């Protein structure tokens, strides 16, 4: 391969290189330090379970800076990473999320254009969530776990739009959507420890993503069945039709089974909750520092 001329760590042969890969996964810092001392800053490569990582010294950074756009490619690296992560999403959540992401267009077109319609519900839910979770009395100071509190507030406000009342108040539903992103990331990290040809087999043995999907189906099944029944009975004359995100997905008439809609509901929550959470908690502002300080007390 193109990397054969670069010194390697550990074994080079195909089966034995996995021994080095597992050592690197468990003790990367020590291996990198030993290689850096051995090769005196020269480039070297270390095997992971599905690719090689080339490590360069400080003296080679200038060469990278001088390289042209058609040599090292950030776009190709990003594409490679996205394809790898997309494959894991296919196994952990379902291939339809990538192959037919119609839920994205529903968000862009309907939710964006009708934010004014949802604003009163979102405002009401945020206000209610703050009162219940903070439970402040007599304007007294109180320590709260910042990340968990903000996550639940965002989850409740988002789901007031996505699934509506009363499910957005359900503690198990909130816990599921708050933890699902972490569970999927944990399972994805486990898959990263295995070569590509073993990923389909290993993914079937990972419990967290599958358990989360089963919990979501349990909550959503009554809602989906009821709305399909009402849609069939009322047709276009359904005047008090819900305008939640789940109803909009059903209205697209691309999927009608709970097992098809549940992954999309979890994926939408996955994105909305954690993007907003990271945006607010990682701002370098007095408010952010106060929340961080409060969470550490």
């Amino acid at each position: 391969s193109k990397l054969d001329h670069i010194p390697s760590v550990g074994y080079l042969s195909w089966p034995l290189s996995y021994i080095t890969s597992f050592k690197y996964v468990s003790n990367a810092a020590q291996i990198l330090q030993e290689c850096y001392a051995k090769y005196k800053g020269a480039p070297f490569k270390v095997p992971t379970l599905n690719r090689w990582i080339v490590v360069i010294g400080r003296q080679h950074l200038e060469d990278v800076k001088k390289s042209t756009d058609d040599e090292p490619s950030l776009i190709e690296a990003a594409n490679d990473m996205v394809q790898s992560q997309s494959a894991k999403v296919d196994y952990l959540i379902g291939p339809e999320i990538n192959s037919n992401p119609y839920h994205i267009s529903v968000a862009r077109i309907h939710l964006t254009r009708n934010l004014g319609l949802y604003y009163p519900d979102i405002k009401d839910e945020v206000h209610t969530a703050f009162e219940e979770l903070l439970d402040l009395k007599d304007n007294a100071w109180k320590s709260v776990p910042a990340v968990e509190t903000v996550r639940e507030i965002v989850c409740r406000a988002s789901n007031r739009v996505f699934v509506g009342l009363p499910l957005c108040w359900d503690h198990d539903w909130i816990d599921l959507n708050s933890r699902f992103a972490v569970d999927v990331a944990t399972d994805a990290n486990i898959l990263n420890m295995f070569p590509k040809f073993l990923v389909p087999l290993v993914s079937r043995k990972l419990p967290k993503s599958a358990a989360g999907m089963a919990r979501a189906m349990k909550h959503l099944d009554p809602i989906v069945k009821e709305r399909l029944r009402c849609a069939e009975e009322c047709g276009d004359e359904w005047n008090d039709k819900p305008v939640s995100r789940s109803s909009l997905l059903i209205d697209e008439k691309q999927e009608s089974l709970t097992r098809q809609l549940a992954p999309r509901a979890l994926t939408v929550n996955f994105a909305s909750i954690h993007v907003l959470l990271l945006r607010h908690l990682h701002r370098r502002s007095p408010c952010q520092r106060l929340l961080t300080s409060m969470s550490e007390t």
Side-chain angles (χ1 to χ4, degrees):
S1 71
K2 295 180 180 180
L3 302 179
D4 287 344
H5 65 287
I6 300 176
S8 305
V9 176
Y11 299 102
L12 293 178
S13 61
W14 176 73
L16 294 179
S17 65
Y18 286 113
I19 298 176
T20 308
S21 300
F22 280 109
K23 289 181 179 178
Y24 179 73
V25 169
S26 61
N27 200 359
Q30 180 180 344
I31 291 177
L32 290 175
Q33 184 61 48
E34 291 175 356
C35 292
Y36 184 78
K38 178 179 179 180
Y39 296 112
K40 309 299 182 183
F44 61 90
K45 64 181 187 288
V46 293
T48 66
L49 290 161
N50 52 21
R51 69 184 66 199
W52 289 96
I53 296 178
V54 178
V55 182
I56 62 174
R58 184 176 301 174
Q59 64 270 31
H60 296 284
L61 293 179
E62 194 64 30
D63 295 333
V64 175
K65 289 169 60 178
K66 293 179 180 178
S67 60
T68 60
D69 292 340
D70 60 349
E71 292 177 321
S73 174
L74 178 62
I75 294 176
E76 288 301 320
N79 286 340
D80 184 58
M81 181 177 295
V82 168
Q83 290 172 6
S84 175
Q85 295 303 320
S86 295
K88 294 178 179 63
V89 169
D90 288 350
Y91 291 117
L92 296 176
I93 301 179
E96 297 82 6
I97 297 298
N98 284 320
S99 63
N100 182 23
Y102 72 89
H103 54 284
I104 297 177
S105 62
V106 171
R108 285 177 177 171
I109 296 174
H110 183 87
L111 293 182
T112 303
R113 292 179 180 176
N114 294 278
L115 284 178
L117 178 65
Y118 297 111
Y119 176 74
D121 287 339
I122 295 174
K123 179 182 178 182
D124 175 68
E125 193 59 44
V126 170
H127 185 269
T128 303
F130 264 104
E131 285 193 339
E132 292 181 3
L133 296 175
L134 298 184
D135 191 26
L136 299 178
K137 298 178 180 179
D138 301 324
N139 294 323
W141 282 89
K142 180 180 180 180
S143 296
V144 295
V147 174
E148 291 82 357
T149 302
V150 174
R151 183 192 295 132
E152 182 164 344
I153 292 171
V154 173
C155 184
R156 285 179 53 167
S158 300
N159 279 280
R160 182 70 177 263
V161 175
F162 295 158
V163 297
L165 295 170
L167 184 54
C168 69
W169 291 345
D170 188 281
H171 291 296
D172 186 64
W173 177 257
I174 293 172
D175 178 71
L176 166 62
N177 284 282
S178 297
R179 296 180 57 85
F180 185 71
V182 177
D183 291 342
V184 171
T186 300
D187 286 349
N189 286 333
I190 294 174
L191 292 182
N192 281 334
M193 299 174 62
F194 293 88
K196 293 180 180 179
F197 71 90
L198 287 178
V199 167
L201 178 63
V202 176
S203 64
R204 300 174 190 171
K205 306 297 182 181
L206 297 178
K208 291 189 175 182
S209 299
M213 205 65 66
R215 288 169 67 188
M217 290 174 60
K218 179 181 177 181
H219 286 291
L220 292 174
D221 193 54
I223 297 175
V224 172
K225 288 181 177 178
E226 175 64 16
R227 291 181 184 174
L228 287 174
R229 183 189 65 80
C230 292
E232 184 177 355
E233 291 180 357
C234 302
D236 296 334
E237 298 179 359
W238 190 0
N239 296 324
D240 57 345
K241 183 178 182 179
V243 290
S244 66
R245 176 67 179 271
S246 57
S247 295
L248 296 174
L249 293 176
I250 294 173
D251 290 343
E252 288 292 307
K253 298 181 179 179
Q254 297 198 39
E255 296 171 330
S256 59
L257 301 177
T258 305
R259 62 177 175 81
Q260 297 171 321
L261 295 169
R264 299 194 186 274
L266 290 174
T267 302
V268 170
N269 272 290
F270 183 115
S272 64
I273 294 171
H274 292 275
V275 167
L276 288 172
L277 183 67
L278 291 174
R279 177 181 297 176
H280 287 285
L281 291 184
H282 288 275
R283 283 180 176 173
R284 291 300 174 187
S285 65
C287 179
Q288 186 269 333
R289 290 193 291 271
L290 175 61
L291 286 170
T292 303
S293 175
M294 291 168 66
S295 69
E296 293 173 349
T297 57

